[in-house]
Amino acid sequence: MRITNVETLILQHDMDVELGFAQGYYNKRTAHIIKVHTDAGITGIGEIFGAGNFAFANQAIVNHVIAPMLIGRNPLDINVIWHEVYNAMRDHGQKGMPISCLSGVDIALWDIMGKATDMPLHQLLGGKAREDFVVYGYGMMLQKRDDLASAFEQEVKSIVEMGYTASKMKLGLGVDGDRELAAAVRRGAGDGFKLMADSNHAYTVGEAIQLGQTLRDLAFYWFEEPVMPEDYNGYKAVRQALPGINIAGGEAEWTRFGHRELISRGCVDILQPEVATTGGISEVMKITAMAHAFGTPVIPHVWGSDILIAVDMHLVSVLPDIPGGLHQFQPMLEYDTTPNLFHEDLLTTPLSIPQQVRDNHGRAKPPEGPGIGIELNDAFVEKYRVG
Ligand SMILES: [Mg+2]
């Protein structure tokens, strides 16, 4: 089997309500799909992280840098291809967009492997460590409104009513504003409900510690990206100052080489590699092995269309128990509950996560078809394609 063509498709839709996080607001959704075609009639599907204009820049990297290296290659040589492409790009970007593009390619090659062998991705990766897993309902994005705290309180109530057993909110209004938001979300969710908070690296060490103390007092489970990702010492300082709440991070870190620093320097309690940026499925598995060697559990980050959600359903299924025992640390699937056409409508057979959550006590199971186990709805893709 040989690779005959690589194409990427950028989909976009306008959002009715502008949403935000600690770094800015956005009013469009983007999904950047990659397809790797073969002479066997098998097409692998992947997705590349990067919204808006980043998607168009990534498309150029795929078309001009990576695709010429893939044509004519055996797509099952996933590990060989990964290292050749990485090495070719090494002098031009060991982190960031080149690696995000390589991630999308790697995902598509694993999809081809599954389709060629008629096995689901979770089987290729060594089998399911659990039949189903908790889905945490992500919501509470920032909005430019004065009553945001009460809006957050209502939103988390609705997430609880949808059947989720865990949820995550955005931070980013400054320490005082965030304290108000977090208290409102705890009020809305009720005591005992699992809550996480994400500040998208908006704070200094001092601010993060102040805010983290409040989150800990409100019994939040983790505080995500408290400080800038380059500041490994800062991460460690925040973590050491806040026993009693997990420090999470890793979505803005790349490859085994970057994650080596987060892990070996004791920066995080929970590592969150993002499959569509950090080097793909191959690299997430290597990073996970390294994290586990240091006793650090992994809960993958995911932010994308149902292609990536499906990939992460497999990843969350196969992550080994750590350390092993009857009552294990459990990885969860991240799922954005805000309006998103690239959830549920993009695939011919939807993942039906909201329904699974409702019917299965907040839990879901991965797709069982070959590879990632998804098929694109071509009419939908054409309708929203912009590049
Ligand atoms: Mg995050």
Side-chain angles (χ1 to χ4, degrees), residues 176-244:
D176 290 343
D178 283 350
R179 283 175 161 161
E180 202 185 322
L181 292 180
V185 169
R186 172 52 75 199
R187 264 198 314 278
D191 290 339
F193 189 85
K194 194 172 230 173
L195 288 174
M196 290 78 78
D198 184 358
S199 76
N200 292 94
H201 50 78
Y203 293 117
T204 64
V205 170
E207 290 168 330
I209 292 171
Q210 287 176 33
L211 181 54
Q213 286 167 341
T214 300
L215 295 172
R216 181 179 58 190
D217 291 346
L218 291 166
F220 274 64
Y221 180 59
W222 80 53
F223 183 8
E224 179 170 326
E225 288 206 294
V227 295
M228 57 187 179
E230 303 92 333
D231 187 8
Y232 302 115
N233 292 335
Y235 254 102
K236 189 174 179 182
V238 170
R239 184 176 174 225
Q240 287 182 333
L242 292 170

Side-chain angles (χ1 to χ4, degrees), residues 343-364:
H343 286 172
E344 298 302 313
D345 296 331
L346 175 64
L347 309 179
T348 53
T349 306
L351 301 173
S352 302
I353 289 180
Q355 191 186 334
Q356 289 200 59
V357 163
R358 200 164 49 239
D359 297 344
N360 191 28
H361 307 290
R363 304 177 75 89

Side-chain angles (χ1 to χ4, degrees), residues 227-297:
V227 295
M228 57 187 179
E230 303 92 333
D231 187 8
Y232 302 115
N233 292 335
Y235 254 102
K236 189 174 179 182
V238 170
R239 184 176 174 225
Q240 287 182 333
L242 292 170
I245 182 168
N246 293 300
I247 301 303
E251 68 182 87
E253 190 55 86
W254 279 268
T255 74
R256 76 200 75 162
F257 306 113
H259 282 275
R260 173 185 63 197
E261 301 309 308
L262 276 178
I263 297 165
S264 65
R265 297 192 194 195
C267 297
V268 294
D269 296 289
I270 295 169
L271 191 70
Q272 301 172 295
E274 162 55 64
V275 69
T277 60
T278 206
I281 293 163
S282 303
E283 204 63 2
V284 166
M285 297 307 283
K286 293 181 173 80
I287 290 164
T288 297
M290 184 165 56
H292 285 191
F294 282 81
T296 304

Side-chain angles (χ1 to χ4, degrees), residues 19-37:
L19 297 175
F21 65 126
Q23 303 298 334
Y25 291 87
Y26 52 96
N27 53 25
K28 283 182 194 300
R29 297 258 186 218
T30 309
H32 188 187
I33 300 169
I34 181 166
K35 289 183 176 179
V36 177
H37 300 283

Side-chain angles (χ1 to χ4, degrees), residues 54-385:
F54 291 106
F56 290 90
N58 281 331
Q59 188 173 52
I61 293 174
V62 172
N63 288 344
H64 297 290
V65 179
I66 300 180
M69 298 181 68
L70 300 181
I71 307 299
R73 301 294 299 267
N74 178 351
L76 306 185
D77 287 346
I78 301 176
N79 197 45
V80 179
I81 290 172
W82 193 99
H83 286 88
E84 282 186 19
V85 173
Y86 179 79
N87 195 50
M89 298 194 299
R90 181 177 251 142
D91 291 4
H92 307 277
Q94 297 147 16
K95 298 189 179 193
M97 292 160 65
I99 309 303
S100 298
C101 294
L102 174 56
S103 305
V105 169
D106 182 88
I107 293 167
L109 296 185
W110 277 100
D111 191 39
I112 292 172
M113 174 80 88
K115 287 168 173 164
T117 57
D118 198 26
M119 282 197 275
L121 180 58
H122 59 73
Q123 191 65 67
L124 295 178
L125 297 176
K128 287 183 282 189
R130 54 198 60 80
E131 280 304 312
D132 57 14
F133 42 77
V134 168
V135 181
Y136 71 87
Y138 198 165
M140 286 75 74
M141 307 290 167
L142 300 186
Q143 292 180 47
K144 295 170 189 163
R145 51 193 283 183
D146 295 334
D147 62 344
L148 190 59
S150 63
F152 272 22
E153 186 174 342
Q154 290 310 313
E155 188 174 350
V156 77
K157 272 185 193 170
S158 72
I159 288 172
V160 174
E161 281 165 12
M162 286 180 228
Y164 292 94
T165 56
S167 181
K168 189 165 82 181
M169 65 176 292
K170 284 299 187 195
L171 301 168
L173 299 187
V175 173
D176 290 343
D178 283 350
R179 283 175 161 161
E180 202 185 322
L181 292 180
V185 169
R186 172 52 75 199
R187 264 198 314 278
D191 290 339
F193 189 85
K194 194 172 230 173
L195 288 174
M196 290 78 78
D198 184 358
S199 76
N200 292 94
H201 50 78
Y203 293 117
T204 64
V205 170
E207 290 168 330
I209 292 171
Q210 287 176 33
L211 181 54
Q213 286 167 341
T214 300
L215 295 172
R216 181 179 58 190
D217 291 346
L218 291 166
F220 274 64
Y221 180 59
W222 80 53
F223 183 8
E224 179 170 326
E225 288 206 294
V227 295
M228 57 187 179
E230 303 92 333
D231 187 8
Y232 302 115
N233 292 335
Y235 254 102
K236 189 174 179 182
V238 170
R239 184 176 174 225
Q240 287 182 333
L242 292 170
I245 182 168
N246 293 300
I247 301 303
E251 68 182 87
E253 190 55 86
W254 279 268
T255 74
R256 76 200 75 162
F257 306 113
H259 282 275
R260 173 185 63 197
E261 301 309 308
L262 276 178
I263 297 165
S264 65
R265 297 192 194 195
C267 297
V268 294
D269 296 289
I270 295 169
L271 191 70
Q272 301 172 295
E274 162 55 64
V275 69
T277 60
T278 206
I281 293 163
S282 303
E283 204 63 2
V284 166
M285 297 307 283
K286 293 181 173 80
I287 290 164
T288 297
M290 184 165 56
H292 285 191
F294 282 81
T296 304
V298 170
I299 297 184
H301 170 271
V302 57
W303 184 258
S305 80
D306 271 0
I307 298 171
L308 285 179
I309 300 291
V311 170
D312 276 76
M313 293 173 92
H314 291 283
L315 291 175
V316 171
S317 296
V318 303
L319 292 174
D321 282 347
I322 174 171
L326 289 176
H327 299 284
Q328 280 300 292
F329 174 91
Q330 290 293 334
M332 301 183 281
L333 178 75
E334 177 167 7
Y335 190 71
D336 175 19
T337 63
T338 60
N340 185 342
L341 294 184
F342 302 141
H343 286 172
E344 298 302 313
D345 296 331
L346 175 64
L347 309 179
T348 53
T349 306
L351 301 173
S352 302
I353 289 180
Q355 191 186 334
Q356 289 200 59
V357 163
R358 200 164 49 239
D359 297 344
N360 191 28
H361 307 290
R363 304 177 75 89
K365 297 179 178 187
E368 291 296 339
I372 303 170
I374 56 165
E375 240 178 87
L376 297 176
N377 176 343
D378 291 331
F380 178 90
V381 169
E382 278 313 310
K383 181 174 176 189
Y384 291 100
R385 185 167 178 188

